[in-house]
Amino acid sequence: MFFHPMDFLIIIAFALSLWASFRVRGTFNKWSEVPVYSGMTGAQAARRMLDANGLYNVPVEAVPGALTDHYDPMSRVVRLSEPVYYQNSISAVAVACHEVGHAVQHEVHYPMLVARHKMFPVVNFASGIAPILILAGFFFQQLPWLLGLGILFFSCAVAFQLITLPVEFNASSRARDMMIAEGFITNEEERGVAKVLNAAALTYVAAALISVLELLKYIMIFTGRNNDE
């Protein structure tokens, strides 16, 4: 392995990713101290948003930890971290409704989410074998197909991350529209909700950027070797 010019951009993107991680926690903590005018907890907001979309059979459960919130498409359950589940803050309501946004996507067969679910088994395998093949490709330069195959598998993982972006942004958009329409938040509180959701989205953008830059780096190395032969 050697230092490639693309590594400068990857380091910058990695720094952005670290900053995004700190920012999402800081933003969440800041708006966790601001109660919503409606007085609703995250759990109550999630339940009402689910019911408003006809998802009466999708339960809302509390799970340990912080920022462990997610929608489980296999069990069809919205799981909220305990601070989000029990608090009546802007952060809690924003995160809870974002996760419900994924449940709504599942119900209406949002195309990007459908594609993401179909890709998952392939990506799960590809993301595990790609690093091994790429590393082998660097060590055994007389076998260039190893690096090429590694790049192919790695591109599947990158595509998965890119598809994740519109899925996350769409879930946030659905959440914001519903929160205002159903009176979960006031128009003045929307600014805080936007900050919480945008901070979370930035972590996905930074992760995708790192993956894209790494993929471009491997492609440049692979094509450069072929040109030298």
Side-chain angles (χ1 to χ4, degrees):
M1 300 292 283
F2 57 92
F3 194 81
H4 190 274
M6 284 292 292
D7 287 332
F8 287 109
L9 294 178
I10 293 174
I11 290 172
I12 293 173
F14 184 71
L16 174 64
S17 178
L18 289 177
W19 174 78
S21 296
F22 284 116
R23 185 169 183 265
V24 70
R25 289 185 177 276
T27 303
F28 179 86
N29 290 337
K30 174 183 176 181
W31 292 99
S32 288
E33 299 175 0
V34 182
V36 288
Y37 181 76
S38 65
M40 299 177 67
T41 64
Q44 291 170 335
R47 182 71 270 155
R48 279 189 55 179
M49 183 172 170
L50 286 166
D51 292 348
N53 285 277
L55 300 176
Y56 306 105
N57 295 326
V58 176
V60 181
E61 299 177 352
V63 293
L67 299 178
T68 51
D69 314 271
H70 64 281
Y71 168 67
D72 183 347
M74 300 299 293
S75 303
R76 300 207 70 174
V77 176
V78 173
R79 295 193 173 100
L80 305 177
S81 60
E82 291 178 345
V84 169
Y85 189 93
Y86 294 108
Q87 287 181 6
N88 65 341
S89 66
I90 287 178
S91 287
V93 172
V95 172
C97 289
H98 171 86
E99 299 307 332
V100 173
H102 289 307
V104 175
Q105 289 175 334
H106 192 180
E107 177 68 14
V108 301
H109 304 290
Y110 177 60
M112 289 297 185
L113 185 68
V114 172
R116 191 172 182 269
H117 287 171
K118 289 182 177 179
M119 288 178 63
F120 183 76
V122 176
V123 171
N124 196 33
F125 171 76
S127 60
I129 196 171
I132 298 172
L133 291 171
I134 290 173
L135 189 61
F138 280 115
F139 279 109
F140 303 104
Q141 297 187 23
Q142 68 274 23
L143 301 174
W145 61 270
L146 284 173
L147 180 57
L149 190 59
I151 290 172
L152 180 62
F153 280 119
F154 185 59
S155 65
C156 294
V158 174
F160 184 81
Q161 286 190 309
L162 292 177
I163 288 178
T164 296
L165 294 180
V167 171
E168 293 299 326
F169 282 115
N170 180 264
S172 291
S173 178
R174 291 174 187 271
R176 290 171 67 175
D177 291 344
M178 181 63 70
M179 281 187 281
I180 295 174
E182 295 294 319
F184 299 175
I185 60 172
T186 64
N187 291 331
E188 292 74 18
E189 291 172 332
E190 185 183 5
R191 182 177 70 91
V193 168
K195 287 184 177 295
V196 172
L197 296 180
N198 290 341
L202 186 58
T203 60
Y204 291 98
V205 173
L209 179 60
I210 292 173
S211 295
V212 169
L213 291 174
E214 288 182 337
L215 178 60
L216 290 175
K217 169 188 169 180
Y218 297 140
I219 291 174
M220 290 171 65
I221 293 172
F222 181 72
T223 56
R225 285 183 179 177
N226 289 341
N227 292 334
D228 292 338
E229 292 178 357

